[in-house]
Amino acid sequence: MSKKGMSTVQVNEAESPSSSPMAEKQEYIGYTDIPSSWAGRKKLRVLIPTCAFYFLFTFLTTVTVPTFQQLQEVYKASYAQINYSVAIPALSLAISPLFWTPFADIYGRRIVCIAGCALAFGASIGSALVKTYAGYMVLRFLQGWGAGPASTVGLQMLQDIYSELERGEKIGYWTAAIDLGLLFGPLLGGFAAIPSYVWPAWLTAILFGILLISITTLMPETAHSAYIDGFSTSFLNFKSIPRSQKTRLWTTTVNCFRMFAYPRVCLPVMFYCWTWYWVRTSIRSIRNIL
């Protein structure tokens, strides 16, 4: 092969996309405004709302626990029925990331966080106003569905902006947020329930409202591909970002089930997550009876 032909092959190979993580990382070298090169102060505009969102992820499930007795009287339901108001949003939190994550890959992280937070905000207001047990349970489910992006999309955003050397510490803050949500949910809910049983729901709505304003006005888009090829995201972006053509809405669900091909990994993780959440919420419910 001639030198000219060899150079042509090298150029073509350099221009062709590669599926390896290292190649994907290398293709962003030379772009000065990608999220991983942002200043620390700008990264805090992502880290703080992301941790706050993950805090509310579990806060919303347990904040109503101190009002179980009043909810029984208002909705004329048994304790077991009211206890489902913790299980229903928890179920929604478990499955909703499968819905939200593909949209975050196609349209960007920010718009998905805004949509989820807005849904949780509206559902929280509705849960404070609803007068029927069925309506209350539907709204509790929608609360959990709206908070879903806090888990997978939130982690995506931290991976977008922090290097491997920084990421461990920042994910530690993010993980602590979900634990603090479980801790402060019943605590703050108990204080909020002193004037009325609906105030824990209003407190949740207020917190989601503040977070929604913060995400909308302060948090930038973090998907790297949104900063290349001359693409510019609008205030509320509804256009697919570059290089997202391979993402399909079912991609996350398929990858989730593919994980079961590795039982040594998935089974210990599932057991740990199940017992961690079940033990904590069950103890809170039992203490409410006592």
Side-chain angles (χ1 to χ4, degrees):
M1 183 181 295
S2 64
K3 291 184 178 181
K4 183 177 179 180
M6 291 177 64
S7 62
T8 303
V9 172
Q10 290 174 352
V11 170
N12 291 337
E13 289 177 351
E15 292 177 350
S16 63
S18 174
S19 59
S20 67
M22 184 59 69
E24 291 176 359
K25 186 175 181 180
Q26 291 291 331
E27 71 176 327
Y28 295 110
I29 293 178
Y31 293 95
T32 58
D33 195 37
I34 59 173
S36 58
S37 65
W38 288 346
R41 186 172 297 180
K42 188 172 183 179
K43 290 181 179 181
L44 285 177
R45 289 164 51 189
V46 177
L47 177 63
I48 294 174
T50 299
C51 290
F53 206 176
Y54 212 30
F55 172 87
L56 293 174
F57 186 87
T58 49
F59 178 89
L60 70 87
T61 62
T62 57
V63 68
T64 60
V65 170
T67 64
F68 274 11
Q69 185 175 354
Q70 294 94 321
L71 291 174
Q72 285 179 253
E73 298 171 0
V74 170
Y75 296 124
K76 295 178 174 55
S78 65
Y79 178 80
Q81 289 176 306
I82 296 300
N83 208 27
Y84 284 127
S85 66
V86 174
I88 291 297
L91 174 64
S92 184
L93 290 171
I95 61 177
S96 60
L98 299 177
F99 169 81
W100 291 112
T101 305
F103 287 101
D105 289 332
I106 298 172
Y107 299 104
R109 329 299 195 209
R110 181 176 174 273
I111 187 63
V112 169
C113 287
I114 291 174
C117 192
L119 176 59
F121 173 60
S124 299
I125 294 176
S127 67
L129 300 174
V130 69
K131 301 300 181 183
T132 64
Y133 173 76
Y136 180 71
M137 298 302 286
V138 169
L139 290 165
R140 290 288 283 165
F141 181 86
L142 292 177
Q143 273 186 301
W145 196 268
S151 56
T152 52
V153 179
L155 184 59
Q156 280 181 309
M157 299 181 80
L158 297 184
Q159 291 175 333
D160 289 336
I161 64 175
Y162 290 112
S163 66
E164 291 85 348
L165 297 177
E166 302 172 295
R167 199 174 298 156
E169 177 189 358
K170 303 309 185 288
I171 291 179
Y173 298 148
W174 177 75
T175 305
I178 191 175
D179 294 329
L180 292 174
L182 281 173
L183 172 65
F184 283 99
L187 180 63
L188 298 181
F191 285 111
I194 292 175
S196 172
Y197 75 94
V198 298
W199 268 104
W202 282 118
L203 173 62
T204 306
I206 291 170
L207 294 177
F208 270 116
I210 294 173
L211 179 62
L212 179 60
I213 294 172
S214 301
I215 293 175
T216 305
T217 58
L218 298 176
M219 192 171 73
E221 176 58 56
T222 66
H224 283 210
S225 57
Y227 292 87
I228 62 176
D229 300 334
F231 183 84
S232 60
T233 57
S234 58
F235 182 71
L236 293 176
N237 179 59
F238 298 102
K239 299 182 296 182
S240 60
I241 59 178
R243 310 189 187 186
S244 62
Q245 292 81 3
K246 293 183 179 180
T247 303
R248 298 292 182 266
L249 295 180
W250 56 84
T251 300
T252 304
T253 304
V254 171
N255 290 338
C256 178
F257 284 104
R258 287 176 61 186
M259 183 185 68
F260 287 92
Y262 307 94
R264 294 183 180 180
V265 176
C266 68
L267 293 180
V269 171
M270 290 176 60
F271 178 79
Y272 173 78
C273 294
W274 175 274
T275 53
W276 173 82
Y277 197 82
W278 174 77
V279 169
R280 292 189 178 214
T281 54
S282 62
I283 289 175
R284 280 166 172 74
S285 300
I286 292 172
R287 286 175 62 187
N288 190 61
I289 298 176
L290 299 176

